[in-house]
Amino acid sequence: MRRLNVAALATGLAVCAAAPALADFDEVDELVINGEIEMTTRAEAPEHLNGVLPEIISGWRFRTDETQQLQMDDFDNPAMLAVDQATEVWNTALGSEGQSCASCHDDPAVSMEGVRAVYPKWDEEREQVQTLEMQINECVTERLGAEAWEYDGDRMIDMTALISTASRGMPVDVAIDGPAQSTWEQGREIYYTRYGQLELACANCHEDNWGNYIRADHLSQGQTNGFPVYRLRNARLNSTHQRFYGCIRDTRAETFPVGSPEFVALELYVASRGNGLSVEAPSVRN
Amino acid sequence: MKRITLALAVTGVAAGMASAQQVPPSVVQYDEYGDVSEPLTATAGDPVQGRLVMASRGQGNCIACHAVSDMEEFPFHGEVGPPLDGVGDRWSEASLRGIVANAKNVFPGTIMPAFYKVEGYVRPGDAFTGKAAEGDLDPLLTAQEIEDVVAYLMTLKEG
């Protein structure tokens, strides 16, 4: 983008916004976890993107070697503590029914395989697109007979991390057609809206400028295949909606609340931009 | 009571003076190219101040997106916009004032924020709190800060 702008200005031509960003990411290293789970961190862009990205690339490739390394072995990955904690909760009876997650779902490594990869997804009964958090709360309240968990409380984020581990290495594959289509379209609209006093859309940073530095931050494509993400900056697991909240806040805008219908729609849309990348969660970023 | 009245009187005077000397965002005159030929304040821009405004994260934060060789002591220059070396050769003062005040007039659809504008935003927030803005918005930079930045940009000559 940068060199192109200068060239365009120098020759007096109008700046061409559709030009691809000059790639600036790790093209060499491959992500293999525990020496066995091979991750697809670059893939063909999904058709619905109509060529706005030349390929899709995981945020992992935009991080430093040190940060990348932390994700390559579960003993180094600080998010794995949260997974352990969630495993305990999984096996503990909560609420009025005397049931635990395990009572219905047994071993999460088996029963939850592939689940993370297809969320958010259409829920026939509730007739709405549901995130993993919403589905977890459905079980917590209706099956366990417990109080709903806070949408982005630690207990919830930890549980999404545990469930995600059962899909690691599987391609993200959210459905965007059929009954989910209108929600997906709402999410796309949000993605391209320039919010706040800085008038920045997700696309301004993650579609037009991925690979570029914006001050000290190296812009990725803003993919969600690694979520929940352990961020070194705040030393905890962060949910997708917390990340969205932060990015919109940084445009000097009034954000949408975590768990809001707007963020559910945005989550579906952003996930669909990553269809084909491996589920990496819980991943490590800065 | 007395002190409050006094304070009000003083700010009243100050505000009155300011508006007499400043062009508010809503009445800035942009020409067909987006240039602004009239200075926004009566006080000439100070390039030393302008350089600081450009570096400060809470003010211009221009180097979030632009590299400037002359500002090397400030860390982390961005790559989102073109390097600003030599902009004083490439553009007139009026163009630079227009670009900083509202770059969207010069570069339609640009990612560069408008630094002297208070209306027309989608879900404007209360600075970086994530909450809705209350009352009238302030422009991202004051009129004087714009003049200071423009004065500094005019010093970025290569020839």
Side-chain angles (χ1 to χ4, degrees):
Chain A
M1 230 17 219
R2 172 175 55 156
R3 239 164 284 167
L4 223 129
N5 279 342
V6 174
L9 286 164
T11 54
L13 294 173
V15 174
C16 169
L22 284 172
D24 186 0
F25 61 98
D26 182 343
E27 300 194 44
V28 179
D29 295 326
E30 294 298 332
L31 175 55
V32 181
I33 293 181
N34 302 333
E36 59 181 32
I37 314 176
E38 291 181 11
M39 297 282 178
T40 302
T41 51
R42 294 173 75 168
E44 202 182 321
E47 222 162 84
H48 66 77
L49 282 180
N50 295 320
V52 295
L53 296 174
E55 61 179 321
I56 50 173
I57 305 166
S58 161
W60 182 81
R61 285 193 180 267
F62 295 83
R63 307 282 58 102
T64 61
D65 285 350
E66 296 74 37
T67 307
Q68 285 184 337
Q69 220 112 64
L70 289 173
Q71 205 187 312
M72 296 180 78
D73 193 311
D74 284 351
F75 282 108
D76 300 328
N77 184 337
M80 286 302 155
L81 286 173
V83 171
D84 291 344
Q85 260 150 18
T87 306
E88 267 191 63
V89 175
W90 180 272
N91 293 312
T92 307
L94 307 161
S96 58
E97 306 304 305
Q99 305 242 40
S100 68
C101 309
S103 321
C104 289
H105 301 294
D106 205 7
D107 179 2
V110 178
S111 62
M112 293 296 132
E113 193 180 337
V115 167
R116 167 81 271 178
V118 296
Y119 271 82
K121 78 166 193 195
W122 181 256
D123 184 287
E124 285 298 342
E125 221 164 283
R126 299 198 163 190
E127 298 196 318
Q128 60 179 0
V129 169
Q130 295 220 118
T131 61
L132 196 50
E133 286 88 341
M134 291 158 82
Q135 178 59 50
I136 291 170
N137 257 341
E138 197 177 315
C139 289
V140 167
T141 55
E142 291 176 15
R143 308 226 169 81
L144 305 185
E147 291 260 317
W149 295 353
E150 198 189 332
Y151 193 94
D152 63 341
D154 288 345
R155 193 162 47 166
M156 179 64 89
I157 301 181
D158 293 357
M159 187 55 76
T160 65
L162 168 64
I163 292 172
S164 300
T165 54
S167 300
R168 285 197 297 179
M170 299 174 74
V172 175
D173 184 21
V174 296
I176 66 171
D177 50 4
Q181 190 178 337
S182 62
T183 308
W184 179 79
E185 281 166 1
Q186 185 196 355
R188 184 179 56 187
E189 168 108 24
I190 293 171
Y191 193 86
Y192 286 101
T193 300
R194 301 186 66 159
Y195 291 110
Q197 214 177 343
L198 298 182
E199 296 177 285
L200 295 171
C202 312
N204 287 126
C205 289
H206 295 297
E207 182 172 294
D208 301 336
N209 278 292
W210 60 271
N212 285 333
Y213 275 86
I214 187 160
R215 208 137 191 185
D217 287 314
H218 192 194
L219 284 168
S220 71
Q221 292 181 347
Q223 298 286 1
T224 48
N225 60 309
F227 278 81
V229 160
Y230 187 92
R231 290 190 66 192
L232 302 172
R233 185 177 292 191
N234 60 8
R236 57 188 298 276
L237 268 181
N238 296 258
S239 71
T240 318
H241 290 199
Q242 289 172 337
R243 182 82 237 198
F244 293 169
Y245 189 98
C247 282
I248 295 193
R249 180 196 56 211
D250 288 350
T251 70
R252 296 179 75 114
E254 177 192 6
T255 82
F256 301 100
V258 160
S260 62
E262 289 86 356
F263 273 179
V264 172
L266 183 61
E267 181 179 342
L268 174 62
Y269 176 70
V270 180
S272 79
R273 293 175 70 99
N275 270 352
L277 293 173
S278 292
V279 173
E280 277 177 36
S283 68
V284 185
R285 305 281 190 261
N286 52 336
Chain B
M1 206 44 211
K2 200 167 100 196
R3 222 173 299 163
I4 292 172
T5 326
L6 199 73
L8 280 175
V10 170
T11 46
V13 170
M17 266 167 46
S19 62
Q21 295 179 338
Q22 283 186 15
V23 183
S26 54
V27 299
V28 175
Q29 294 291 320
Y30 294 91
D31 74 10
E32 59 186 302
Y33 305 108
D35 292 5
V36 177
S37 46
E38 287 300 313
L40 304 178
T41 66
T43 312
D46 173 355
V48 176
Q49 279 306 317
R51 191 165 175 277
L52 296 176
V53 169
M54 286 186 54
S56 160
R57 283 174 195 269
Q59 293 176 296
N61 200 14
C62 311
I63 59 173
C65 292
H66 294 283
V68 186
S69 302
D70 178 56
M71 295 178 66
E72 249 159 25
E73 82 263 31
F74 302 105
F76 307 125
H77 295 202
E79 307 176 316
V80 168
L84 297 181
D85 296 355
V87 282
D89 297 321
R90 284 199 290 284
W91 300 95
S92 67
E93 185 187 306
S95 295
L96 289 172
R97 186 178 291 112
I99 291 171
V100 180
N102 188 349
K104 269 114 183 149
N105 294 323
V106 181
F107 311 110
T110 184
I111 187 175
M112 179 162 156
F115 287 90
Y116 203 60
K117 180 179 134 170
V118 289
E119 286 161 342
Y121 297 116
V122 182
R123 298 178 71 88
D126 178 7
F128 293 108
T129 62
K131 308 242 168 14
E134 280 171 40
D136 292 342
L137 291 169
D138 289 326
L140 295 171
L141 295 178
T142 65
Q144 194 59 51
E145 285 165 345
I146 302 269
E147 289 305 318
D148 294 347
V149 166
V150 171
Y152 175 63
L153 293 174
M154 285 303 289
T155 70
L156 297 177
K157 304 212 186 223
E158 283 171 329

